[in-house]
Amino acid sequence: MKKTLLALSLLGLTGSAVATPFYVDTGVNWNGETTLTSDKVCDTCTSSKDEIAYLYQSVSTTNDTDGSGGLSAGDTIFTDGGLAVGDIINNQVTGFNPNEVFGIANNNGYGSDWLLTFSFTGLVGTVVEYTPGTSLELAYGAFGNFDLYYTTDGVTLQNFMDIQVTGAVTGSGGTLLSGVVDFSNVDALPVSTYNLFHSQGGTCNGLTGFYDIWLNCDGIANPLLEITFLADFNTNASTIVVTDNGAAGAILQGNHDGSAVFNVPEPSTLALFGGTLLLLGASARRRKA
């Protein structure tokens, strides 16, 4: 339990507590507004954003790992979602926070001229607690991948960025899922498309594009600068449709919504985080002694 609380505390430190503002540069001025007539960061950009908001569907299957003959704590769960299980209408980034209202917090035509969507597969975890219709708690390991797509017509999807899942914990308030931005297996696209997202916090020697940061601050030529991702979404047990097939396992289907933030740490934040870990390690060593 203490380890779980510590993990969640560290997720908080690297996630929403220090969420990095960002903007999206599509390379096209979709709505005709400029930096002179709006709060856009550039003529082809959105305004500054803190979060992305989204909705999606998921399908999970379980193994009756504990041999109880039904869905219960201890069972292994496998989850896919987004476009892997549904259509773009029900699986998309619905907007940003702050979101555009009467031209303020400009989205540069988002939703009418361009859209972001996603797919994820391969999440593997364990059922921590299950009471039919009342509670469903899950814990996922460092398995699975989110593919993020950019589209201007809803048909042609460009996989411009991925999120490698590092873990997830579900409780009564929903699910916190963490990951890191990755570009190792994306589509062959112009660099400008990889750099849709730009950091307004930490940079790599002045480079703000997420791809440029990932490519150049890789721990080889420059110190490693990982862009982390923290998603918060609902997993209300009352909205999950469970088909319990006994010893054959169960199928869980749900509709979800939520929000996510990115964190691109400043060098000072990295130093603080590293110092915190050192202090935690020293404290643990003293307790052992």
Side-chain angles (χ1 to χ4, degrees):
M1 182 64 177
K2 290 181 179 178
K3 289 182 179 179
T4 301
L5 291 173
L6 175 59
L8 289 173
S9 298
L10 293 179
L11 280 176
L13 176 63
T14 57
S16 57
V18 285
T20 300
F22 64 89
Y23 63 91
V24 182
D25 184 359
T26 66
V28 178
N29 187 342
W30 292 104
N31 62 8
E33 297 286 346
T34 69
T35 56
L36 298 177
T37 61
S38 72
D39 55 2
K40 286 181 171 181
V41 175
C42 71
D43 289 352
T44 60
C45 300
T46 65
S47 67
S48 178
K49 308 296 183 183
D50 297 318
E51 298 179 328
I52 59 173
Y54 53 84
L55 55 82
Y56 74 96
Q57 299 167 311
S58 70
V59 176
S60 301
T61 58
T62 67
N63 288 341
D64 185 22
T65 308
D66 64 351
S68 65
L71 180 61
S72 61
D75 288 350
T76 303
I77 187 166
F78 307 89
T79 302
D80 299 330
L83 295 182
V85 302
D87 58 31
I88 196 170
I89 299 298
N90 296 295
N91 299 276
Q92 59 174 275
V93 173
T94 54
F96 306 94
N97 181 26
N99 211 27
E100 183 171 354
V101 178
F102 299 122
I104 299 173
N106 203 292
N107 286 349
N108 188 28
Y110 186 79
S112 57
D113 297 300
W114 60 283
L115 192 76
L116 301 176
T117 183
F118 56 92
S119 173
F120 64 89
T121 56
L123 273 65
V124 182
T126 303
V127 177
V128 177
E129 181 183 345
Y130 174 63
T131 302
T134 302
S135 66
L136 174 65
E137 296 189 14
L138 311 170
Y140 289 96
F143 304 96
N145 193 72
F146 280 68
D147 299 325
L148 276 69
Y149 300 96
Y150 170 77
T151 181
T152 58
D153 59 10
V155 178
T156 302
L157 304 177
Q158 299 178 321
N159 175 207
F160 70 94
M161 185 169 75
D162 290 342
I163 304 292
Q164 290 185 342
V165 175
T166 55
V169 178
T170 299
S172 58
T175 298
L176 284 176
L177 181 145
S178 63
V180 293
V181 169
D182 183 68
F183 292 90
S184 300
N185 295 295
V186 294
D187 291 342
L189 300 168
V191 171
S192 59
T193 305
Y194 296 148
N195 278 323
L196 275 175
F197 280 79
H198 287 257
S199 167
Q200 291 184 293
T203 67
C204 178
N205 296 329
L207 297 171
T208 63
F210 280 15
Y211 174 74
D212 286 341
I213 293 172
W214 173 84
L215 182 67
N216 293 283
C217 281
D218 57 357
I220 301 174
N222 294 293
L224 179 65
L225 188 62
E226 282 194 327
I227 304 172
T228 57
F229 173 87
L230 186 65
D232 182 0
F233 51 89
N234 76 65
T235 50
N236 190 326
S238 64
T239 66
I240 305 296
V241 178
V242 178
T243 304
D244 195 338
N245 298 309
I251 300 173
L252 296 81
Q253 297 173 289
N255 293 283
H256 316 263
D257 57 40
S259 60
V261 299
F262 296 97
N263 178 37
V264 187
E266 300 276 5
S268 58
T269 305
L270 285 173
L272 173 64
F273 184 58
T276 302
L277 292 178
L278 286 173
L279 287 172
L280 287 171
S283 176
R285 285 192 295 273
R286 284 196 298 269
R287 286 197 300 270
K288 288 181 179 179

